[in-house]
């Protein structure tokens, strides 16, 4: 049996992108940080949850879209047609940059809005 784990990884990253889109729009609508980003226990000390949600929304959207693009590109590469390796490397860099910007924003937001 020949099983390609990269396809599973690509599906997981694509689902991550969809989940982040859903969570991001819900975060913006409700003006609440989801517990998957910051634990409820930590949010007790947060002074401005609506401001934190507004601050984190664009970073969440960028990370969601980069995850979605990276996952779809990986699926196309692994299932449909082989894509140029330079494109694959560029997509990895874009995905990592999106994740890094989100992570840095999450840390900065915790400091500014929750006193951490």
């Amino acid at each position: 049996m020949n099983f390609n784990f990269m396809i599973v990884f690509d599906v997981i990253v694509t689902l991550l992108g969809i989940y982040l889109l859903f969570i991001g729009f819900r975060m913006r609508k409700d003006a609440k940080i989801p517990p998957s980003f910051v634990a409820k226990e930590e949010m007790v000390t947060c002074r401005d949850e609506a401001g934190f949600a507004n601050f984190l929304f664009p970073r969440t959207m960028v990370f969601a879209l980069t995850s979605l693009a990276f996952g779809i590109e990986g699926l196309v590469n692994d299932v449909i047609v082989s894509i140029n390796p330079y494109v694959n490397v560029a997509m990895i860099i874009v995905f990592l940059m999106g994740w890094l910007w989100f992570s840095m924003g999450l840390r900065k937001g915790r400091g500014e809005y929750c006193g951490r």
Side-chain angles (χ1 to χ4, degrees):
M1 181 172 164
N2 187 9
F3 189 73
N4 190 348
F5 285 100
M6 286 309 294
I7 294 172
V8 174
F9 177 75
D10 296 334
V11 169
I12 290 170
V13 172
T14 303
L15 291 175
L16 171 68
I18 293 168
Y19 172 75
L20 288 171
L21 281 173
F22 173 74
I23 287 294
F25 283 120
R26 195 167 91 192
M27 177 177 62
R28 183 173 190 180
K29 181 182 141 233
D30 298 342
K32 291 188 177 279
I33 301 295
S36 56
F37 290 168
V38 179
K40 288 182 181 181
E41 296 81 23
E42 278 188 69
M43 288 307 297
V44 172
T45 63
C46 193
R47 296 179 305 271
D48 183 11
E49 188 172 2
F52 190 12
N54 190 43
F55 171 78
L56 200 55
F57 176 74
R59 288 153 180 82
T60 303
M61 289 297 105
V62 167
F63 186 38
L65 293 175
T66 58
S67 297
L68 200 56
F70 180 64
I72 291 171
E73 186 270 338
L75 281 171
V76 169
N77 184 53
D78 293 336
V79 176
I80 299 172
V81 64
S82 185
I83 297 176
N84 187 318
Y86 293 116
V87 174
N88 292 330
V89 170
M91 287 304 297
I92 290 170
I93 292 169
V94 167
F95 172 76
L96 291 175
M97 287 175 57
W99 171 72
L100 184 65
W101 192 52
F102 172 78
S103 296
M104 288 172 44
L106 185 59
R107 176 172 281 154
K108 182 179 178 184
R110 278 180 169 161
E112 287 182 18
Y113 297 98
C114 298
R116 295 199 121 237

